Amino acid sequence: MVALLNTNVLVLNSSFQPLHVCHARRALVLVWGGKAEVVEYYDSSFVRSVSHRFQLPSVVRLHIYIRPDKRSVVLNRRNIIRRDRFRCQYCGSHSDELTADHIVPRSKGGEDSWENLITACTSCNNRKSNRTPEQAGMKMLTTPRRPAFYSFIRFYHPRSHEKWKPYLFLK
């Protein structure tokens, strides 16, 4: 049941614009609290209590409107790793031990920004050490940049979420 409550749910604004992705547990709290309504359900996923059985929502819509200009992708380690598609930006490996690496180290004036942070595996991070990639003789696979909000939500769109496609403007 814990795995079901960690299932991703698309949250829509009252105008049906995609806002973000949350876990099913949060979506159920929004629905039960009267702050949202269920638009789409997962076909055969249910959460049970002692006396009730609830179908798991796939897409929920908020009753109130959230202004779109306040939405941006939060800069944190998890979102950096997601932006870089769970792979090291130096060697391209899909390691379990990925870290957020400063391109220009903080000791040399580097800041915490989308353009200065990338995903690196532990061995590449250690090899680069407290140097820039040029000083370490390493090349990055991509140039890091701030992700656009809608494209970041689309990243959550695995093939199994067919019910999300109309709301993310996908075919």
Side-chain angles (χ1 to χ4, degrees):
M1 177 154 132
V2 173
L4 277 178
L5 291 176
N6 290 331
T7 305
N8 287 336
V9 176
L10 179 65
V11 178
L12 304 175
N13 213 342
S14 62
S15 63
F16 286 89
Q17 289 177 313
L19 275 180
H20 65 90
V21 176
C22 71
H23 286 138
R25 176 184 312 237
R26 176 70 180 141
L28 288 170
V29 168
L30 287 170
V31 171
W32 290 334
K35 296 179 188 275
E37 65 180 339
V38 178
V39 178
E40 300 278 348
Y41 290 97
Y42 285 108
D43 290 331
S44 58
S45 298
F46 294 90
V47 177
R48 292 172 178 83
S49 73
V50 175
S51 58
H52 292 86
R53 185 175 100 155
F54 304 97
Q55 195 168 6
L56 205 62
S58 174
V59 180
V60 296
R61 183 178 74 96
L62 297 176
H63 290 299
I64 61 169
Y65 182 77
I66 305 295
R67 288 178 48 184
D69 59 0
K70 295 198 178 208
R71 294 177 295 147
S72 63
V73 181
V74 176
L75 176 65
N76 59 32
R77 179 181 174 272
R78 183 181 64 195
N79 287 342
I80 291 166
I81 292 172
R82 283 181 180 153
R83 177 201 63 190
D84 294 342
R85 308 273 179 176
F86 299 93
R87 64 181 202 164
C88 175
Q89 293 302 297
Y90 296 116
C91 68
S93 69
H94 289 275
S95 172
D96 288 337
E97 298 179 19
L98 294 173
T99 63
D101 179 47
H102 287 81
I103 297 167
V104 177
R106 281 191 269 186
S107 64
K108 296 186 174 27
E111 57 186 25
D112 290 339
S113 68
W114 285 106
E115 294 78 19
N116 192 44
L117 287 164
I118 61 169
T119 303
C121 65
T122 313
S123 66
C124 287
N125 197 0
N126 289 336
R127 197 171 113 218
K128 181 182 159 282
S129 188
N130 196 27
R131 303 175 287 180
T132 64
E134 293 80 27
Q135 291 170 338
M138 301 171 76
K139 294 197 184 277
M140 295 183 293
L141 298 176
T142 60
T143 304
R145 49 178 213 213
R146 174 184 294 273
F149 183 76
Y150 285 112
S151 65
F152 200 72
I153 285 186
R154 285 182 187 185
F155 175 74
Y156 280 99
H157 172 63
R159 296 186 192 283
S160 63
H161 293 300
E162 292 295 320
K163 296 187 179 205
W164 291 15
K165 285 184 177 183
Y167 307 104
L168 295 176
F169 311 108
L170 299 171
K171 291 183 178 185

